[in-house]
Amino acid sequence: MQSGQASKIWLALGASLAISGGFTVVMSLPEGGETLWLGVGLIAAGSLALRQGLAGTDQVTRPPPRHEGAARASADDSHIEPELRVATPREVTLTARGKLVLAVWVAVLAVFGLLSHQHFGRLPAPPSKKLLDQEGVSTSATVHSQEMRSLENGRTLYFLGYSFTADAGRPMRVNQSVPPRVYARVSEGDTTEVVYMPLNPQRHYLPEITSPVTTGMVVFIAAVLVLAAGFAEAQRRLHRRLAVSGNAVSGFTADVRRRGGVRTFLVNYDASGKRQTLRARERNPELRNGQTVTVLYDPAIPSRAVVYRHGMYKART
């Protein structure tokens, strides 16, 4: 199998595993348990597969490694890629890495959107849901009433009434506020499952119309995604700006260290008459001290830089 095709398979597999793992983790909350660890395992496996795919992609598009003296690597710009020698601003396009990052984010946000849509159209899960699932008794509940109440502030409240018979023939009638979509989905006379505690039927929930996560957890996940998306967007903008108008210079690697299957290293480069250092990492078994790499840096802030082959954008040839 060709290396390029194998890389695409690894990338597709990694993205699928990572997205599935994220969805599994979300669905396991707030109880966690074995499902949570399964989700974490899927995410870890997806990350390894993505790294393998990215490593293969880099290996296909990367020029042969050059190992030269540190002084020469820093001063000689003859190794800079031809597409970076054109005058700025350059025309750019997404790299395979950039396309993957954007695709994964679109998928993650789509999954979260579907989860949120499902959650806010259902009843909130009770804090005792795990205990109810372990020790509760299941029976049928019948919807006996639906009511809408208009408030002075213009809001409308929706109420659902249902009844079920607990152990020893004790009838239970419940009337509670529900989201509009739950109200619209059921009708009087419908039956649905109810799970209740035998000694205290007041503690119960309706599995068919109950969200597996709490609103607080949905808000927390949304906040984490917003912060992560903000960081990812800032990185995307930086990489694009550097590919469009950044200065290209030949740098050299130093202090290469292996951590698992990934090598961390420093890239030293000269910008505006001053030596700069950029920390990077990649999966490359041939990487050694003194290897030359191309660095793109911001002329206004020389310390703001990226290793060209690690960027989300590349200049058009």
Side-chain angles (χ1 to χ4, degrees), residues 144-160:
H144 59 73
S145 67
Q146 290 178 283
E147 182 184 359
M148 298 172 55
R149 299 178 187 175
S150 298
L151 304 181
E152 294 181 355
N153 59 8
R155 290 185 56 197
T156 301
L157 297 182
Y158 300 85
F159 291 87
L160 181 67

Side-chain angles (χ1 to χ4, degrees), residues 23-96:
F23 185 76
T24 302
V25 168
V26 171
M27 296 302 293
S28 72
L29 300 172
E31 287 79 17
E34 295 179 356
T35 305
L36 173 63
W37 291 111
L38 173 62
V40 172
L42 288 173
I43 293 174
S47 298
L48 292 176
L50 288 173
R51 284 186 177 182
Q52 183 70 25
L54 289 174
T57 302
D58 288 344
Q59 204 69 32
V60 171
T61 59
R62 177 184 305 154
R66 298 176 293 270
H67 308 288
E68 303 180 1
R72 178 176 174 78
S74 176
D76 186 1
D77 288 347
S78 62
H79 296 139
I80 293 176
E81 286 77 359
E83 66 268 22
L84 295 178
R85 298 174 188 172
V86 301
T88 57
R90 310 179 186 94
E91 293 185 0
V92 300
T93 184
L94 281 168
T95 62

Side-chain angles (χ1 to χ4, degrees), residues 223-238:
V224 172
L225 285 178
V226 167
L227 291 175
F231 175 78
E233 176 63 11
Q235 289 294 102
R236 187 196 68 80
R237 288 174 177 268
L238 172 62

Side-chain angles (χ1 to χ4, degrees), residues 182-301:
V182 170
Y183 182 89
R185 192 166 65 238
V186 299
S187 303
E188 293 186 22
D190 287 352
T191 58
T192 183
E193 181 188 8
V194 62
V195 177
Y196 67 93
M197 294 297 291
L199 299 180
N200 183 11
Q202 291 286 354
R203 296 177 62 184
H204 67 273
Y205 79 105
L206 308 176
E208 185 179 353
I209 56 177
T210 297
S211 172
V213 296
T214 63
T215 299
M217 184 58 65
V218 172
V219 173
F220 173 76
I221 295 173
V224 172
L225 285 178
V226 167
L227 291 175
F231 175 78
E233 176 63 11
Q235 289 294 102
R236 187 196 68 80
R237 288 174 177 268
L238 172 62
H239 288 190
R240 189 179 191 284
R241 184 166 63 251
L242 292 176
V244 169
S245 58
N247 287 352
V249 64
S250 182
F252 64 94
T253 61
D255 195 26
V256 178
R257 299 182 183 183
R258 179 173 180 175
R259 295 182 179 179
V262 178
R263 278 174 165 77
T264 62
F265 56 97
L266 302 179
V267 178
N268 295 321
Y269 61 99
D270 293 330
S272 301
K274 184 179 180 181
R275 175 59 53 87
Q276 305 285 345
T277 299
L278 174 65
R279 185 176 297 275
R281 61 181 181 179
E282 68 177 31
R283 188 183 181 90
N284 180 359
E286 298 181 349
L287 189 62
R288 296 199 296 265
N289 288 330
Q291 180 175 324
T292 58
V293 293
T294 300
V295 175
L296 288 175
Y297 70 89
D298 187 342
I301 308 177

